Amino acid sequence: MLYFVGLGLGDEQDITLRGLQVVRTCRTVYLEAYTSLLCFGLGPSAISTLEELYGRPVVLADRETVEQGADAILEEAKSSDVAFLVVGDPFGATTHSDLVVRARNMGVKVQIIHNASIMNAVGACGLQLYRFGEAISIPFFTETWRPESFYDKIKSNRLLGLHTLCLLDIRVKEPTLESLCRGKKEYEPPKYMTVNTALEQLLEVEENQKCNAYNGNTICVGLARIGNLHPMEDEMLAIFSIQSHAE
């Protein structure tokens, strides 16, 4: 069996009782570590904290492990119980949906254990969940890559009187362009987008598009560290919601 276990948005205590029971019986436990992060990070101390609670070794699964080594994980799940831990809810990223489909196509049994995610915890800002339209992701701009495809979705949501949940980029263990050219992996320092950076990029896109989907006076709600009860120095995750015309 391949278990997809949601960990919630806080610390090691946020796993559900059912999820904890499953993890403690699995032969191998993977922690997906690139679509989102636990509030206390991904260092050795964080892994030790999880292992102490779970009573099982935890294997850190970065982007390369998930995208290039998925077949090995699925093959293992054919003959033993494997847990794939996801911060938030297992279906918070399309990568996990793809893994579920691939597992079922290979005849691997799958079980999902849900948990809280930013998709429902955003209600903490006071905006009604049923008034949110399609969510978007905002990536870090670079000198040569400044995508604007999310703009039309914001504009469409606003025309319908709906809020837009914008998920801000995190970059963990991303190879540098130079290392890719040389064929020897070297990684960029971890980087987490702040609300201010997202706003600067959004205003740049509006300046280019000139469709008045929003402007510098648009009321927004900025949120960081949702579900984390402990103070932190750095923003690990931030989102904001563009207020609809109707409010």
Side-chain angles (χ1 to χ4, degrees), residues 93-151:
T94 54
T95 297
H96 311 137
S97 301
D98 177 66
L99 275 176
V100 171
V101 172
R102 290 175 61 183
R104 288 176 172 159
N105 287 341
M106 290 175 61
V108 177
K109 295 180 181 179
V110 174
Q111 192 169 125
I112 312 297
I113 301 176
H114 295 283
N115 208 323
S117 77
I118 194 60
M119 304 302 286
N120 52 34
V122 66
C125 72
L127 299 175
Q128 296 296 320
L129 292 178
Y130 60 81
R131 294 290 305 280
F132 279 82
E134 185 174 359
I136 67 165
S137 295
I138 301 180
F140 278 108
F141 284 178
T142 69
E143 291 298 321
T144 58
W145 189 65
R146 309 177 85 79
E148 300 183 355
S149 56
F150 53 77
Y151 181 85

Side-chain angles (χ1 to χ4, degrees), residues 42-104:
L42 294 172
S45 62
I47 298 301
S48 295
T49 298
L50 295 178
E51 291 178 337
E52 182 178 354
L53 177 63
Y54 300 157
R56 306 292 301 156
V58 175
V59 179
L60 204 61
D62 57 19
R63 180 188 293 272
E64 292 177 12
T65 302
V66 177
E67 294 183 348
Q68 300 174 24
D71 287 342
I73 296 174
L74 297 176
E75 283 294 333
E76 184 179 4
K78 285 183 176 180
S79 56
S80 62
D81 288 338
V82 175
F84 190 79
L85 310 182
V86 179
V87 178
D89 186 81
F91 288 132
T94 54
T95 297
H96 311 137
S97 301
D98 177 66
L99 275 176
V100 171
V101 172
R102 290 175 61 183
R104 288 176 172 159

Side-chain angles (χ1 to χ4, degrees), residues 7-40:
L7 297 182
L9 295 171
D11 55 24
E12 76 281 1
Q13 301 286 334
D14 280 6
I15 190 172
T16 64
L17 288 174
R18 182 162 166 252
L20 183 58
Q21 290 171 351
V22 163
V23 169
R24 286 176 171 171
T25 64
C26 285
R27 178 178 177 181
T28 308
V29 179
Y30 294 95
L31 172 62
E32 189 267 89
Y34 78 92
T35 60
S36 190
L37 303 175
L38 290 166
C39 69
F40 49 70

Side-chain angles (χ1 to χ4, degrees), residues 206-227:
E206 174 59 47
E207 181 64 24
N208 294 335
Q209 296 283 337
K210 293 183 170 57
C211 293
N212 198 32
Y214 49 83
N215 56 51
N217 295 318
T218 301
I219 298 175
C220 300
V221 180
L223 303 173
R225 300 180 292 279
I226 299 302

